[in-house]
Amino acid sequence: GVSILKPNPFNDQQLGDAARYERHTLNQALEQAEDRDLIRYDLIAMPGITNDDLNDQLLAQTADRGDALAIVDFKGIYQSGDDSDDGTVQNQDISNIVNTINRLGVDTSYGAAYYPNVRLRDTLNGNGSVLFAPPSVAAIGAIAKSEADSQPWFAPAGFQRGGLNPLGGALGPQVLGSIEHLTKADRDKLYEVNINPIARFPATGDTVVFGQKTLQQDASALDRINVRRLMNYLKKEI
């Protein structure tokens, strides 16, 4: 079980203590997902989890499996007061997430990251609440919609296949936009460290995934999500 006294028992402070049950719970989940004979999947994510050690573990085991893509949220995304033990809101910060990537030295074609969070209107339970979702949720929605419309090896980005309204398809939550408007300079800063921008264009009302880089640092075909997913698909078929 988990603590019912905390809105989010898997918050940053709880996960930061390796001896706590919350950290053990996620470690057990990662251990199960590590076994190729136990679980097969194409994408894996821990939405909203920004713990460096857990993200590193997820990226490493996904690369070891060699058959999936990990969508990772890094420090620097928006986190509500529920995500911290003291109720402090962590606002999104481009410099913070860029510094996080540089500090960790992330380098793998089996992972991808996005920025910033998106705003969703809850169309599923009827009350129309507006929710903030981590970037990984938007990324999975864009990839799912792109694959449904075409094939895994088409780029899940741009106005044709990277559009986020509605999320994941016709029945998904309505995307109202990102929580931060990114200028071209902002998008360039993110793209330099292989973070895919989620761009909002107020003039047209579109919210679009504006990149499809993996977290591989060296330039090659595998620094693109569609190529990595194509190779994963071929491995499984062969």
Side-chain angles (χ1 to χ4, degrees), residues 47 78 116-125 127-142 163-169 171-179 198 200 207:
Y78 170 86
N117 305 53
V118 294
R119 296 183 296 118
L120 303 177
R121 186 180 302 282
D122 183 0
T123 57
L124 303 181
N125 64 18
N127 64 16
S129 300
V130 177
L131 314 171
F132 286 3
S136 59
V137 173
I140 292 170
L164 294 176
N165 193 12
L167 187 64
L171 299 180
Q174 178 186 4
V175 177
L176 302 179
S178 60
I179 66 173
I198 299 174
R200 175 168 52 90
T207 303

Side-chain angles (χ1 to χ4, degrees), residues 47-85:
I49 301 297
T50 61
N51 181 276
D52 292 342
D53 293 336
L54 290 170
N55 281 338
D56 183 66
Q57 183 180 344
L58 177 62
L59 289 169
Q61 72 179 46
T62 305
D64 288 341
R65 281 183 59 119
D67 64 352
L69 180 72
I71 310 296
V72 180
D73 290 322
F74 289 104
K75 294 184 188 302
I77 66 169
Y78 170 86
Q79 291 182 289
S80 72
D82 293 343
D83 296 322
S84 61
D85 214 40

Side-chain angles (χ1 to χ4, degrees), residues 119-198:
R119 296 183 296 118
L120 303 177
R121 186 180 302 282
D122 183 0
T123 57
L124 303 181
N125 64 18
N127 64 16
S129 300
V130 177
L131 314 171
F132 286 3
S136 59
V137 173
I140 292 170
I143 293 172
K145 183 177 184 298
S146 175
E147 183 169 340
D149 291 345
S150 50
Q151 297 291 345
W153 51 85
F154 282 81
F159 286 91
Q160 183 175 353
R161 296 190 183 88
L164 294 176
N165 193 12
L167 187 64
L171 299 180
Q174 178 186 4
V175 177
L176 302 179
S178 60
I179 66 173
E180 178 181 3
H181 173 64
L182 301 179
T183 64
K184 184 180 183 303
D186 293 333
R187 298 198 299 267
D188 290 344
K189 287 178 185 177
L190 294 167
Y191 216 55
E192 285 176 2
V193 293
N194 301 325
I195 299 171
N196 298 304
I198 299 174

Side-chain angles (χ1 to χ4, degrees), residues 18-61:
R20 293 191 63 90
Y21 77 86
E22 296 90 350
R23 181 70 171 268
H24 178 70
T25 298
L26 279 186
N27 284 334
Q28 289 294 298
L30 286 169
E31 186 176 315
Q32 291 183 48
E34 186 177 15
D35 190 346
R36 294 176 59 178
D37 296 328
L38 181 64
I39 301 176
R40 292 193 66 181
Y41 52 84
D42 297 320
L43 299 173
I44 186 169
M46 300 185 295
I49 301 297
T50 61
N51 181 276
D52 292 342
D53 293 336
L54 290 170
N55 281 338
D56 183 66
Q57 183 180 344
L58 177 62
L59 289 169
Q61 72 179 46

